[in-house]
Amino acid sequence: MKQKFTGSEQYIATPDLMTAVNAAITLERPLLIKGEPGTGKTMLAEQLAKALGNKQLIVWPVKSTTKAQHGLYEYDAVSRLRDSQLGNERVHHISNYIVKGKLWQAFEASEAPVLLIDEIDKADIEFPNDLLRELDQMEFFVHETQEQIKAHQRPIIVITSNNEKELPDAFLRRCFFHYIRFPDQDTLQRIVNAHFPTLRDSLLRNALESFLAIRELPGIKKKPSTSELLDWLRLLQADGTPDSAIHNGGVPPFAGALLKNEQDMSLLERILNATRARRN
């Protein structure tokens, strides 16, 4: 029986996320993960590789200029031209100028690795469609060397998206989908405890209350994420911030770890000033 993913000491997985991961592995389908930035999509792949016996993790970070071909291989014609001008013997073997992409690396691994295709929605809309055959058949053809590259073992594929653009239906049909919802307060507390086991309860309680209140501000442009909460707590702990400083009626200390633009910072200040005025 295949090993089941149940989260890890560093990654608190909800039951529905564990179900999604294990379903994708059973179906041998790519796992498409969406959710707010900072909810642990990328970290999921890292912890999945560790939890399944320290599997090799291969990361393909996608950018706006990334093409599907980059994940297969690239032919370095410039280097070959330079070597031909210098009379280098390497020039007679075109395979010397084939640069293996992340998919090729995953296909040739002796044991099934975890392949993370990170932030797929940053690329051109055709990028996912250009990978359909490779993700289905687990093979591709190298025209320069006339080689057919086939996967030794089907990799476990995790694909993340921040929902910046819609993905093609043909691509979605080939994936098992899961949306990571923002964790509730109990799950947040478990996540924090995993990262800060010695954090005093009173600080955690006050910090969580303040953090959740900021997320619920009416009109907030960018809600702080789980990763930003952890950064904030790290600062509070390192500074030895007293509990009273978090609820002193003003902007909480190190608020720049939570709010990332001037509009949201101004909004928080206006609401706090209005609250103080009503109390007075």
Side-chain angles (χ1 to χ4, degrees):
M1 178 176 292
K2 291 184 178 179
Q3 187 175 355
K4 297 286 187 180
F5 176 67
T6 58
S8 68
E9 290 183 2
Q10 292 77 34
Y11 194 91
I12 305 302
T14 58
D16 56 342
L17 176 57
M18 288 187 277
T19 297
V21 171
N22 293 316
I25 293 173
T26 299
L27 293 173
E28 297 186 329
R29 297 271 189 181
L31 174 63
L32 175 60
I33 294 288
K34 292 186 179 183
E36 290 181 29
T39 49
K41 300 186 295 296
T42 300
M43 190 180 180
L44 170 63
E46 298 168 358
Q47 294 301 316
L48 176 60
K50 290 181 180 179
L52 297 183
N54 286 316
K55 286 181 175 292
Q56 180 185 5
L57 174 65
I58 299 174
V59 181
W60 183 9
V62 177
K63 303 177 181 179
S64 60
T65 56
T66 302
K67 303 297 181 184
Q69 182 65 33
H70 297 160
L72 308 181
Y73 69 92
E74 294 183 75
Y75 169 49
D76 191 353
V78 174
S79 292
R80 194 180 189 201
L81 175 61
R82 184 182 63 246
D83 286 348
S84 68
Q85 293 170 339
L86 296 174
N88 194 317
E89 288 298 315
R90 294 179 72 248
V91 76
H92 300 298
H93 300 281
I94 196 170
S95 59
N96 291 326
Y97 305 94
I98 300 295
V99 181
K100 297 176 181 179
K102 298 298 185 180
L103 270 177
W104 191 335
Q105 294 173 32
F107 284 4
E108 71 177 4
S110 56
E111 294 185 6
V114 173
L115 171 63
L116 170 62
I117 305 177
D118 204 19
E119 299 189 329
I120 194 172
D121 52 324
K122 282 188 174 180
D124 183 87
I125 189 63
E126 290 305 317
F127 176 86
N129 279 336
D130 291 342
L131 287 175
L132 292 182
R133 185 179 186 280
E134 288 75 15
L135 295 181
D136 261 352
Q137 303 300 320
M138 290 286 123
E139 63 180 23
F140 62 89
F141 188 69
V142 183
H143 296 279
E144 288 80 0
T145 60
Q146 298 295 295
E147 292 178 273
Q148 188 75 19
I149 305 300
K150 294 186 177 182
H152 298 315
Q153 303 282 340
R154 179 178 286 269
I156 298 170
I157 301 175
V158 178
I159 303 172
T160 70
S161 169
N162 287 325
N163 248 351
E164 292 184 9
K165 62 171 68 80
E166 289 295 322
L167 299 174
D169 288 346
F171 177 79
L172 294 175
R173 283 197 299 271
R174 289 162 169 81
C175 298
F176 191 96
F177 170 75
H178 181 74
Y179 184 87
I180 297 182
R181 300 185 184 279
F182 190 81
D184 58 27
Q185 188 163 348
D186 288 342
T187 305
L188 269 180
Q189 188 159 340
R190 291 171 58 209
I191 292 171
V192 171
N193 288 336
H195 289 267
F196 302 101
T198 62
L199 192 69
R200 65 182 186 275
D201 291 341
S202 57
L203 177 60
L204 173 56
R205 185 171 57 254
N206 283 284
L208 278 182
E209 182 180 332
S210 182
F211 170 77
L212 293 172
I214 289 174
R215 277 188 56 88
E216 296 304 317
L217 287 177
I220 189 170
K221 187 175 181 181
K222 184 196 175 302
K223 295 182 177 183
S225 67
T226 309
S227 64
E228 288 158 342
L229 169 63
L230 296 176
D231 286 344
W232 187 46
L233 288 170
R234 185 173 293 111
L235 289 170
L236 294 176
Q237 186 178 48
D239 186 62
T241 303
D243 301 348
S244 58
I246 299 174
H247 283 305
N248 62 1
V251 174
F254 307 113
L258 300 175
L259 300 175
K260 300 304 174 72
N261 61 68
E262 63 275 18
Q263 295 96 328
D264 287 345
M265 192 69 79
S266 297
L267 173 65
L268 176 60
E269 290 171 350
R270 289 198 306 272
I271 291 176
L272 290 174
N273 288 337
T275 302
R276 281 200 301 267
R278 284 198 301 271
R279 289 173 178 172
N280 294 334

